[in-house]
Amino acid sequence: MHNPGTATQERFPAADRFADGAQFIAGRSAKGTSGRTHAVVDPATGAEVYTYELAGADDVDAAVAAAREAFPGWASATPGERSDALHRFAAVLADRAEDLARAESLQCGKPLKLSREFDVPGTIDNTAFFAGAARHLQGQSAGEYSGDHTSYVRREPIGVVGSIAPWNYPLQMAAWKVLPAIAAGNTIVLKPAELTPLTSLLFAEAATAAGIPDGVINIVTGAGKEAGEHLVGHPDVAMTSFTGSTGVGKRVAEVATSTVKRLHLELGGKAPFVVFDDADLDAAVNGAVAGALINTGQDCTAATRAYVQRPLYEAFVERTAALMETVRLGDPFAPGTDLGPLISHAQRDRVAGFVDRARSYARVVTGGEAPGGDLAGGAYYRPTLIADAAQDSEIVQSEIFGPVLVVLPFDTDDEGIRLANDTPYGLAASAWSGSVYRANRATRDIKAGCVWINDHIPIISEMPHGGYKASGFGKDMSVYSFEEYTQVKHVMFDNTAAVRKDWHRTIFGAR
C-alpha cells in the first residue's frame, strides 16, 4: 500500500516521488514484499506522513543480484569516468537541496535550518570530495625490492557492499556509506532505518538522474532482523558497513564474520568535554550547549560528559544551565526553532527514563521534562543539565542519545584525562584550554577517534571519522574511508628471464 499521509505540500514537496514504494532496486522504485507495512511519522506532531511496504529477504536478494550484475561494468570504468559521474551527482543533489532538506526535517524532526545548513550541504560536499578521490587510487611506488623483481600495488574494488545506516542523520549516513564504496568501483545495497528512509531514496534517485548506472546504488527498506541480517549474511555481499549502537553492532559482527567478509563498524559514543581551569569559560559554555544539543543530542559525537576543573565548575554549571534555558523548542519548520523533537515518542521516553532514574543520585539543574502546550503531541524533551553524579553512574557511563549533558568536577589534569577515558567508548572528545601544552597532551592521551580543541562537533570531508574501543573500527569520510573499500593486491614481475631462479635450490638442490 501507499499512504501519502497528512503532510502538506510545503512540508513534504517530494511526496509524489514515493508513490511506487520504499525500495530502489536496479534504478527503479518498488514496493517491498515482506507482507508488512511501516509508517514514517513526523515526530513533531505524531502524524503519519508515509506508509510503505517493508522489504523482505526476496527484496534483499533482488537488490544484491542487481548490484552484482552492475559490478563488472562499474568496476571497469576508469577513475575519471567514475569521477565525472560523481561530479554530476553532486550537481543534481544541489539542484534538489530544498526537497532533501524538507524530507530530512519531516522524518527526523530536526530544525529545517540544521537540514539546510548542515545535513544537505555536508552531503553535497562529501559527494564532490569523493568525485575527486575517485581519481586517486594510490599504491606503493613500483620498485625492485627483491633485486630480481619489480613490485607494485594495485587497489581494486571489493565487490558488492551491504551497508546499514541509522536514523539520526539518514541523508549524511547514506552518503558516508555509498560514496567511498562507489568511488572505488564497488556497487552497494544500503538499508536505511525503517523510521527514516525518505532521503536515502531521494539520494539514490538523484544518482540515477546523474547517470550513475542502474544497480550501482540500491536501497532496501526493511526491518533489521529480516532485511538487515539477510543483507549482512548474504554470500554475495563482500563487505558490510554498519553505523548504529554498539549492541546491534555486535550482532552485525557475528553475522558478518560467519561469512568471512570485510567489516566496518561505527558504533556508539559518550563524548567527554574536558574544560581545564585556563579555558575561556564563555567559549566552553557556548560550545557545551551547542555540542550537547546538536540534533537534539541524537549524535554519537555529541558532548555528553563535561569534566570541568574545580575552579570553573560552579560557574560552568550555572552559565550552562542559563544558556540551555534560552534554547527554543518548536516546530522544525518554523524559522525561530532551535531544537526539534526526538525521533520518536519511544526515544523520548527512553531519555526521560535515564533522567528520572538519575534523580535518586544526582541533581537535575535544568530541564528533565517534556514540554506541554502546543508541543505536547510531539516527541519533545527539554534541554537537560545534570550535576553531582558519580563517575560510575548510569547517566555518566551509558549512551543516552538525547538532549542531556552531565557535568562532573575534577582537580588535577591527570584526573581529567583519566575520567575522560573512563567509559567503554572512544568515538570523539574535546578539550578546552588556553595552553598549547595542555591541548597537545589531551590530543595525545584521550583515546578517541577525533579530539577537538576549543570546539566540539565540526566535521569535514577531508578528515576521517571513526572510533576506538567499543565505538568500533574503520573510518568514514576522507581518503582513509576510501581505502577501506578497496582490495590491496601485490603484483610482482620477474626481471631475470632465468629458467631456474636462485631460490629454486631449496627444492632442486645442486642439480
Side-chain angles (χ1 to χ4, degrees):
M1 63 179 293
H2 163 60
N3 176 7
T6 59
T8 64
Q9 175 67 23
E10 181 184 9
R11 290 175 84 89
F12 195 14
D16 58 346
R17 309 255 283 275
F18 299 96
D20 293 330
Q23 320 304 322
F24 191 83
I25 300 171
R28 291 174 293 281
S29 298
K31 299 184 187 326
T33 62
S34 70
R36 295 182 295 115
T37 60
H38 195 276
V40 176
V41 174
D42 178 353
T45 64
E48 293 186 5
V49 297
Y50 177 63
T51 302
Y52 64 92
E53 298 83 357
L54 286 163
D58 289 346
D59 304 302
V60 173
D61 289 342
V64 172
R68 188 178 180 187
E69 182 178 353
F71 175 70
W74 185 247
S76 63
T78 67
E81 289 169 337
R82 290 197 294 268
S83 176
D84 288 346
L86 285 164
H87 278 300
R88 295 194 302 271
F89 188 11
V92 174
L93 292 170
D95 286 343
R96 301 180 179 186
E98 185 64 11
D99 283 356
L100 289 163
R102 288 183 174 275
E104 191 80 340
S105 288
L106 182 72
Q107 66 183 353
C108 299
K110 62 183 64 182
L112 189 57
K113 67 179 179 181
L114 180 63
S115 296
R116 280 175 173 164
E117 298 175 22
F118 183 73
D119 298 72
V120 174
T123 299
I124 295 168
D125 186 71
N126 270 211
T127 308
F129 172 81
F130 281 106
R135 292 179 177 268
H136 296 283
L137 279 169
Q138 296 177 346
Q140 189 173 8
S141 298
E144 288 66 50
Y145 298 97
S146 78
D148 291 336
H149 306 82
T150 296
S151 290
Y152 65 88
V153 170
R154 289 177 57 88
R155 284 195 175 271
E156 299 177 349
I158 297 170
V160 177
V161 178
S163 292
I164 299 176
W167 47 256
N168 58 332
Y169 289 104
L171 177 60
Q172 289 207 88
M173 294 300 101
W176 287 14
K177 301 303 182 194
V178 168
L179 295 170
I182 67 170
N186 303 285
T187 56
I188 190 167
V189 179
L190 173 73
K191 192 196 90 65
E194 305 97 291
L195 295 171
T196 55
L198 301 179
T199 45
S200 296
L201 294 164
L202 292 176
F203 187 74
E205 284 185 3
T208 296
I212 292 176
D214 294 348
V216 172
I217 301 172
N218 306 276
I219 309 292
V220 290
T221 310
K225 283 289 185 183
E226 186 173 4
E229 291 204 7
H230 190 61
L231 176 62
V232 172
H234 200 290
D236 291 334
V237 170
M239 175 181 173
T240 289
S241 178
F242 169 79
T243 296
S245 71
T246 297
V248 177
K250 291 177 180 178
R251 177 57 184 163
V252 169
E254 289 174 1
V255 176
T257 54
S258 69
T259 54
V260 196
K261 50 173 57 80
R262 188 177 295 193
L263 183 61
H264 169 267
L265 298 174
E266 197 265 275
L267 306 177
K270 189 71 177 175
F273 186 101
V274 183
V275 182
F276 294 102
D277 58 14
D278 63 346
D280 181 323
L281 182 58
D282 287 338
V285 166
N286 279 272
V289 173
L293 301 185
I294 180 78
N295 202 29
T296 318
Q298 298 167 126
D299 186 313
C300 48
T301 65
T304 59
R305 298 178 289 138
Y307 296 101
V308 183
Q309 206 152 23
R310 191 83 58 179
L312 298 183
Y313 178 72
E314 293 297 340
F316 180 90
V317 171
E318 180 182 348
R319 295 188 195 183
T320 300
L323 186 57
M324 276 189 171
E325 290 166 2
T326 70
V327 173
R328 299 165 297 183
L329 277 68
D331 178 358
F333 288 80
T337 294
D338 298 320
L339 205 68
L342 290 149
I343 187 66
S344 67
H345 286 81
Q347 180 65 13
R348 183 199 62 188
D349 293 346
R350 179 179 180 275
V351 171
F354 276 102
V355 175
D356 289 343
R357 291 189 295 274
R359 296 179 194 278
S360 65
Y361 58 79
R363 174 167 56 105
V364 178
V365 182
T366 190
E369 63 182 3
D374 293 342
L375 303 182
Y380 290 90
Y381 197 75
R382 293 195 185 282
T384 300
L385 184 68
I386 294 176
D388 306 333
Q391 174 66 16
D392 62 356
S393 62
E394 178 191 52
I395 204 79
V396 174
Q397 293 291 323
S398 298
E399 186 173 34
I400 299 169
F401 231 55
V404 179
L405 175 66
V406 58
V407 188
L408 297 88
F410 69 92
D411 291 303
T412 67
D413 289 16
D414 286 349
E415 182 188 16
I417 298 293
R418 178 180 62 78
L419 293 171
N421 286 329
D422 184 28
T423 71
Y425 301 104
L427 185 59
S430 65
W432 298 72
S433 174
S435 165
V436 66
Y437 303 106
R438 273 176 156 171
N440 274 332
R441 184 199 173 181
T443 64
R444 183 176 65 249
D445 290 352
I446 293 177
K447 305 306 179 187
C450 174
V451 180
W452 292 283
I453 298 298
N454 295 328
D455 207 346
H456 195 108
I457 285 298
I459 54 175
I460 50 176
S461 297
E462 292 83 359
M463 289 291 114
H465 175 86
Y468 287 25
K469 303 189 292 186
S471 293
F473 48 84
K475 300 299 180 184
D476 289 312
M477 301 194 296
S478 81
V479 294
Y480 295 97
S481 168
F482 188 44
E483 290 171 356
E484 293 195 23
Y485 289 88
T486 61
Q487 296 276 21
V488 175
K489 178 186 286 184
H490 171 215
V491 178
M492 196 172 199
F493 279 90
D494 169 60
N495 292 330
T496 67
V499 174
R500 283 202 177 180
K501 318 299 186 192
D502 183 57
W503 72 268
H504 289 182
R505 70 183 185 279
T506 61
I507 303 298
F508 303 128
R511 288 172 287 168

